[in-house]
Amino acid sequence: MAKQQISLPAKLINGGIAGIVGVTCVFPIDLVKTRLQNQRQGQQTYKNMMDCLVKTVRSEGYFGMYRGAAVNLTLVTPEKAIKLAANDFFRQYLSKNEKGLTVFKEMLAGCGAGMCQVVITTPMEMLKIQLQDAGRLAAQQRKPASMSPTKLASTRVLSRSYNAGPSAAASALSATQIARELLRTQGIQGLYKGLWATLMRDVPFSMVYFPLFAHLNRLGQPSQDQSAPFYWAFFSGCLAGSTAAVAVNPCDVVKTRLQSLNKGASEESYNGVVDCVSKIMRKEGPSAFLKGAGCRALVIAPLFGIAQVMYFIGIGEFILDLSPFN
């Protein structure tokens, strides 16, 4: 980070503000990513990112693009704060009695950060995906001519139908209702469905992102005693984030499919990571693992670019300085 010694409260504040600002800016693209990843071959409701955005606005309105944003905004603060603070903690711990960190130790620190964040990430993604994908399911069921009656009747939902008529997407369950239903029927493990797939995505992501960002940011430092300018920190965060996002996109596709409780007509279910990978490979081919990769890069890049700028500016330290408890 821009400053080597930053207090834990400041790290939490910086990560939380960065998460809220970033999610607010890029959430519509994240919604598109989820819907594109859940599409099966031969059942495409959306042709590409722009087609998905246009159809979403037409059928669900402007705020339809922010379906599921509330749960994300609520939990992204602790999630990003844990991720960034944990990486700093592990880096400082592993660099004791050493002048610098080797690439292996940087990756190890990133691995620790990724493992810590899934405590929040898994239930957050679980709830968000149900809300984001509701519009796709409703749009699919509004086209009965393209499906047989048997297939149409086979569409499964959590406990109530998302498709109550033309305004099906608007009648989707809230995150609170979905969480209560999962806790009632499956217990706490219901919220942590797809945990291993989330670990498969977030641990490699952090192992790629944090070392790559550190090395890119170092290139912008005028000298060893000076920090890189804020625009360089933003650029480094964006480039490292988008690179890591595309690298782990296959794991993100698997995670999205596993965590989607509601299936469209003739969409198969999966019994774990291995079953999901084998069915996608057999029925859709290897290209299916890259679905939504461009959207994911567009989502992650500004998220982490903004996070690094928050660290550089020192928003957390500024807020703490104004606090009477400082």
Side-chain angles (χ1 to χ4, degrees), residues 32-44:
V32 170
K33 181 216 67 155
T34 297
R35 294 186 178 185
L36 290 178
Q37 287 182 340
N38 264 332
Q39 286 191 143
R40 275 37 168 201
Q41 192 170 10
Q43 297 178 334
Q44 283 88 350

Side-chain angles (χ1 to χ4, degrees), residues 33 36-41 44 249 252-253 257 284 286-296:
K33 181 216 67 155
L36 290 178
Q37 287 182 340
N38 264 332
Q39 286 191 143
R40 275 37 168 201
Q41 192 170 10
Q44 283 88 350
N249 195 74
D252 190 56
V253 172
R257 295 284 181 93
E284 302 175 57
S287 61
F289 291 104
L290 293 178
K291 285 183 177 180
C295 294
R296 182 162 165 75

Side-chain angles (χ1 to χ4, degrees), residues 125-296:
E125 292 278 314
M126 184 71 184
L127 298 175
K128 182 191 71 172
I129 285 172
Q130 314 316 315
L131 298 173
Q132 287 183 327
D133 203 38
R136 181 188 69 89
L137 293 172
Q140 188 182 84
Q141 292 187 26
R142 282 196 295 267
K143 299 189 297 184
S146 62
M147 310 175 199
S148 67
T150 304
K151 287 183 178 181
L152 186 61
S154 68
T155 302
R156 299 185 294 114
V157 295
L158 183 61
S159 63
R160 306 180 201 173
S161 174
Y162 282 115
N163 190 24
S167 59
S171 63
L173 296 172
S174 69
T176 304
Q177 289 173 307
I178 295 173
R180 285 176 180 170
E181 182 72 11
L182 286 170
L183 289 171
R184 185 183 66 82
T185 58
Q186 302 179 35
I188 190 67
Q189 63 266 30
L191 289 174
Y192 281 88
K193 184 179 181 180
L195 174 62
W196 293 111
T198 306
L199 279 168
M200 285 173 54
R201 182 196 68 172
D202 289 346
V203 170
F205 177 92
S206 297
M207 292 175 69
V208 172
Y209 170 78
F210 286 109
L212 182 57
F213 168 77
H215 286 275
L216 288 173
N217 197 51
R218 205 171 295 134
L219 295 175
Q221 294 177 331
S223 66
Q224 289 186 346
D225 298 329
Q226 293 179 289
S227 299
F230 82 93
Y231 64 84
W232 191 268
F234 178 79
F235 166 77
S236 300
C238 288
L239 183 57
S242 57
T243 301
V246 173
V248 302
N249 195 74
C251 300
D252 190 56
V253 172
V254 173
K255 182 198 72 66
T256 300
R257 295 284 181 93
L258 286 174
Q259 289 187 320
S260 296
L261 298 175
N262 310 291
K263 309 295 182 184
S266 74
E267 292 180 358
E268 67 282 351
S269 298
Y270 307 104
N271 298 313
V273 173
V274 175
D275 181 57
C276 183
V277 171
S278 62
K279 284 182 177 177
I280 292 175
M281 182 66 76
R282 185 173 66 253
K283 296 183 178 182
E284 302 175 57
S287 61
F289 291 104
L290 293 178
K291 285 183 177 180
C295 294
R296 182 162 165 75

Side-chain angles (χ1 to χ4, degrees), residues 98-114:
E98 292 186 26
K99 292 183 177 180
L101 285 172
T102 62
V103 174
F104 174 75
K105 286 188 174 181
E106 288 181 336
M107 294 178 69
L108 199 60
C111 175

